[in-house]
Amino acid sequence: MNSYVRALYDFRGDPGQPELSIDAGEVLQITRTDVGEGWWEGQNSRGDVGRFPEAYVEVMSAADVKHTQSCGGETYSAPLDAVTKASSRWDDDDTEDDDIYTPIEQPDEVPKKSERRKPSLVGGDDILLPPTLPDMDDPAANAKLTRKTSMFGKRAEPFILGHGNKNQLLDNELIYIVPFAEQYFQWKSSDQFYSVVVASPKKETKFKGMKSFVAYQLTPSFNNVSVSRRFKHFVWLHQRLLEKFVLIPIPPLPDKQVSGRYEDQFVEHRRVQLQEFVDWICRHPVLSKCEVWFHFLTCTDDSVWKQGKRKAERDPYVGISYCWAISPPEKQLLASYVDSQIDNWSQFIQAMDGSVRNLLAISSDVSKRYQNQCRKEFQRVAFAIHQFSRSIAMDEERQPPPETDKSLAMCISSIGDTYAAIAKDFGEQPKLDWVPFADKLQIYRSVLNSFPDILTTHKGALQKRHECERLTAEQKMTPTQMIDVNRRTDVITYAVIAEMSHFRKQRETHFKDTLKTLIEEQMKFYNGLISKLQDAYAKFD
């Protein structure tokens, strides 16, 4: 009997790899489970075959397969219970992307039909609300609706209309926005600045060597207590942050890797990329204080870790509901000021995104030229000089030079050694300058790509306010209700402006340091080349 799975998450395959792009809810037929390292191979309804992460899908029971086929292969959205179970597997069954997996043996052992939700109603690119909604004053019910799809999490309407319950938030859970300079606003700075070091990646095994993984040691400066985290834990954290903060761009994680994941060079590069991710979180005044982040950084007990995971996965204040935790100034923002700020920012991110893409392409080209063209050219020079040296040595063997003279062949050979060393330096240099520079550009590119969604959410809030103004004019809403709508719309606007201010601060400090580091490494590299050439020149003195 054929085995089928349903996608829990979207996955975009690498065009240069035999990977299959899948959408959440899509049904796939499994063709291979022995690909290894957390990957399966499957075929979609269009006949495309490729690999995808096993952790991104759930196995379907025979009854589900039969029901799907009877519906003509209809695609369903991923059930919330199934998503929770998939996340739970990481701790209970230890099945995730950096382990070696066993084949599907019993495809019928999946969540029972009674545990599944009905598919969400989809029309075009928008999500249609079901006829009956849960009580939005219940945070748990509100969270379930918010997590139903990413679209619900980004829609501003529930918050603008006052759905949810702010009274359950504690004072220490509130996030404040404060003014600075003239007509600018920012997240209130944290009283506690700290850093986190990602170090000591180590390959470990479980179940008598049947499963392998790499663990990284994270050490926060505020307690100097190290915790061991695998890449799957970073993936779980990243998903929680994306779900909770829809008005704050979340930096990306390193790309997944199918082969060579335990090679020293790859492990070290991933460690550096994870350090960049951690540093970005630590520098953010909101992300650096959130509960799920501190749980990730400090929890050392397995049972407490699981409890914290469940709590984070049931957090009622996620998506747009998190706005209840934001406390901005009381001043109402002028529409002209808001429009000017948002329009200018929209033009800026579009321009910077284009420049970042261009820099990324150039960084890649320079790295390839160093590692290939330049390295090979200097290798050719070294080979030619060594060849010339051997020809001179043939004559010197027949007619040795006077003892007071240096051997010309040896001097020439040392020049060849110099150019061979230069060739090696060119091959290794990109990992010290252009590759780290590109890694940082990738973070900026991902953050910039998050802002259009944030601005769309803000635009939706403004549109809902305009609709409420019309209803107020028609006396279908009271003036008091309209005042509350204006206030909640300003909360979203203040949050967007505060995030814009934070990005500008990052641009002025972090990106400046990034460019300084690039130039410093380039100076070290070219000074090293000059030193080698000077040493070679001294051979003829």
Side-chain angles (χ1 to χ4, degrees):
M1 179 180 176
N2 294 328
S3 298
Y4 292 86
V5 295
R6 177 182 287 121
L8 296 173
Y9 315 103
D10 293 342
F11 170 72
R12 302 274 73 85
D14 188 341
Q17 300 291 336
E19 298 174 358
L20 180 67
S21 296
I22 60 178
D23 297 320
E26 185 175 3
V27 175
L28 309 166
Q29 180 179 343
I30 294 298
T31 56
R32 285 181 60 193
T33 58
D34 58 350
V35 178
E37 297 186 335
W39 293 79
W40 285 354
E41 183 183 82
Q43 180 177 0
N44 61 21
S45 59
R46 298 178 296 278
D48 300 328
V49 178
R51 300 174 184 175
F52 50 85
E54 184 273 343
Y56 279 51
V57 299
E58 65 163 344
V59 181
M60 299 177 64
S61 68
D64 278 345
V65 173
K66 184 177 180 180
H67 177 71
T68 301
Q69 292 174 342
S70 67
C71 294
E74 183 180 355
T75 300
Y76 295 89
S77 62
L80 177 63
D81 294 339
V83 175
T84 304
K85 286 180 178 291
S87 178
S88 301
R89 287 203 312 258
W90 289 355
D91 284 319
D92 301 336
D93 298 335
D94 200 46
T95 303
E96 71 343 283
D97 77 313
D98 55 2
D99 281 344
I100 299 174
Y101 291 83
T102 55
I104 304 176
E105 296 180 355
Q106 296 178 333
D108 291 343
E109 293 185 5
V110 294
K112 297 178 181 179
K113 191 70 177 179
S114 59
E115 298 176 341
R116 298 175 178 271
R117 290 189 298 130
K118 294 181 180 180
S120 58
L121 305 176
V122 180
D125 295 330
D126 197 9
I127 303 295
L128 302 179
L129 293 176
T132 303
L133 293 176
D135 181 10
M136 296 300 290
D137 288 330
D138 178 8
N142 188 27
K144 186 173 182 180
L145 176 63
T146 302
R147 286 193 293 261
K148 207 168 187 181
T149 71
S150 61
M151 287 295 295
F152 275 103
K154 295 181 179 180
R155 290 182 62 167
E157 180 177 326
F159 175 71
I160 296 299
L161 296 180
H163 299 318
N165 189 350
K166 185 179 180 180
N167 296 331
Q168 294 188 17
L169 286 167
L170 302 177
D171 289 341
N172 61 357
E173 295 177 309
L174 297 179
I175 302 297
Y176 293 93
I177 297 174
V178 296
F180 77 102
E182 184 178 356
Q183 293 186 335
Y184 289 99
F185 304 91
Q186 65 182 6
W187 303 109
K188 184 178 180 181
S189 300
S190 174
D191 296 331
Q192 182 184 30
F193 295 96
Y194 62 90
S195 61
V196 177
V197 176
V198 182
S200 305
K202 181 181 178 182
K203 181 181 178 182
E204 300 180 5
T205 60
K206 298 184 68 173
F207 306 124
K208 298 181 179 180
M210 293 180 63
K211 294 186 177 182
S212 302
F213 58 90
V214 176
Y216 301 84
Q217 303 302 310
L218 279 72
T219 308
S221 61
F222 55 76
N223 63 4
N224 290 320
V225 177
S226 297
V227 295
S228 180
R229 295 291 181 260
R230 295 157 62 176
F231 186 67
K232 65 165 189 178
H233 298 132
F234 281 93
V235 173
W236 174 83
L237 169 70
H238 191 260
Q239 188 62 34
R240 300 283 75 74
L241 294 176
L242 285 174
E243 181 180 272
K244 188 173 182 66
F245 300 103
V246 297
L247 297 179
I248 297 176
I250 306 300
L253 287 176
D255 294 333
K256 295 180 183 294
Q257 184 88 353
V258 178
S259 59
R261 293 184 301 108
Y262 301 125
E263 296 177 358
D264 292 343
Q265 184 174 352
F266 170 78
V267 171
E268 175 59 20
H269 186 205
R270 173 172 277 188
R271 183 201 66 78
V272 172
Q273 290 175 308
L274 292 175
Q275 183 70 66
E276 291 289 343
F277 170 80
V278 167
D279 289 345
W280 190 281
I281 301 295
C282 289
R283 290 193 299 266
H284 199 285
V286 177
L287 301 180
S288 62
K289 296 192 298 184
C290 71
E291 185 176 3
V292 65
W293 168 245
F294 268 88
H295 178 67
F296 175 81
L297 281 184
T298 61
C299 185
T300 57
D301 183 85
D302 288 344
S303 61
V304 177
W305 168 258
K306 292 181 180 180
Q307 293 173 9
K309 278 179 83 279
R310 304 301 177 267
K311 180 179 179 181
E313 289 160 3
R314 294 175 173 83
D315 185 359
Y317 296 101
V318 297
I320 203 66
S321 296
Y322 184 74
C323 290
W324 288 112
I326 300 175
S327 180
E330 294 292 334
K331 178 183 177 182
Q332 184 174 351
L333 297 172
L334 296 176
S336 58
Y337 167 79
V338 174
D339 291 344
S340 174
Q341 290 289 316
I342 299 301
D343 289 345
N344 291 340
W345 187 255
S346 179
Q347 295 175 19
F348 159 70
I349 60 174
Q350 184 176 0
M352 185 172 179
D353 180 61
S355 62
V356 167
R357 289 173 183 269
N358 187 41
L359 272 176
L360 270 171
I362 292 174
S363 299
S364 177
D365 290 344
V366 173
S367 295
K368 291 177 181 178
R369 186 164 65 250
Y370 273 36
Q371 294 173 326
N372 295 294
Q373 182 180 345
C374 294
R375 179 177 61 85
K376 291 179 180 179
E377 285 182 354
F378 281 100
Q379 284 176 339
R380 290 176 57 198
V381 172
F383 177 79
I385 292 178
H386 279 131
Q387 190 178 40
F388 181 68
S389 171
R390 287 192 293 270
S391 69
I392 298 296
M394 290 175 60
D395 184 61
E396 289 185 343
E397 289 175 359
R398 298 187 181 95
Q399 185 67 37
E403 294 183 1
T404 56
D405 294 341
K406 296 180 181 179
S407 169
L408 178 60
M410 292 181 62
C411 291
I412 295 175
S413 179
S414 67
I415 301 300
D417 293 340
T418 297
Y419 280 101
I422 290 175
K424 183 179 179 181
D425 289 346
F426 267 101
E428 295 179 352
Q429 180 61 24
K431 67 181 182 182
L432 301 176
D433 47 27
W434 290 107
V435 172
F437 182 64
D439 288 339
K440 292 178 173 63
L441 289 176
Q442 286 286 7
I443 292 180
Y444 277 92
R445 180 184 176 186
S446 178
V447 170
L448 287 168
N449 287 340
S450 298
F451 272 108
D453 285 342
I454 293 174
L455 297 183
T456 298
T457 300
H458 177 257
K459 182 178 179 180
L462 296 181
Q463 290 175 342
K464 194 61 185 178
R465 180 171 67 179
H466 292 327
E467 181 182 336
C468 291
E469 289 173 345
R470 178 178 57 80
L471 293 175
T472 302
E474 297 173 356
Q475 297 185 347
K476 295 180 179 179
M477 284 186 66
T478 66
T480 301
Q481 290 175 319
M482 190 62 224
I483 292 174
D484 292 338
V485 166
N486 284 328
R487 176 58 180 170
R488 288 189 287 267
T489 304
D490 278 350
V491 169
I492 295 179
T493 301
Y494 272 114
V496 173
I497 293 176
E499 193 54 35
M500 289 158 48
S501 299
H502 175 73
F503 185 87
R504 289 190 180 101
K505 184 178 180 180
Q506 288 290 295
R507 184 187 64 195
E508 295 299 320
T509 56
H510 176 255
F511 202 75
K512 185 184 296 183
D513 292 340
T514 297
L515 290 173
K516 287 174 61 178
T517 301
L518 174 67
I519 295 173
E520 288 172 358
E521 292 297 334
Q522 289 273 288
M523 291 168 58
K524 291 178 184 178
F525 172 61
Y526 287 109
N527 285 334
L529 297 186
I530 293 173
S531 177
K532 286 182 172 64
L533 293 172
Q534 288 174 337
D535 291 342
Y537 180 81
K539 300 289 185 182
F540 293 93
D541 292 341

